């Protein structure tokens, strides 16, 4: 069942929503999910909300 969502960019879109919301609320994110952490490391544009 999960394989039908693979490649559908659901995780990417959800991460972008969370990051946008954090920016609006002037909050920082400590990524505990392995996917989110990998994206934070790959994309410098998340640096403003990343609590390292």
């Amino acid at each position: 069942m999960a394989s039908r969502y693979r490649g559908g960019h659901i995780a990417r879109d959800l991460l972008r929503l969370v990051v946008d919301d954090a920016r609006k609320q002037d909050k920082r994110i400590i990524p505990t999910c392995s996917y989110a952490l990998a994206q934070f490391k790959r994309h410098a544009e998340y640096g403003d909300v990343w609590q390292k």
Side-chain angles (χ1 to χ4, degrees), residues 5 8 10 13 22 24 26 30 41:
Y5 298 110
I10 293 171
D13 295 343
K24 289 175 187 171
D26 197 31
I30 300 171
K41 287 179 178 179

Side-chain angles (χ1 to χ4, degrees), residues 13-31:
D13 295 343
L14 181 58
L15 181 60
R16 285 182 181 169
L17 287 172
V18 169
V19 168
D20 288 344
D21 197 44
R23 286 182 177 134
K24 289 175 187 171
Q25 295 182 34
D26 197 31
K27 295 196 176 192
R28 310 274 290 168
I29 297 171
I30 300 171

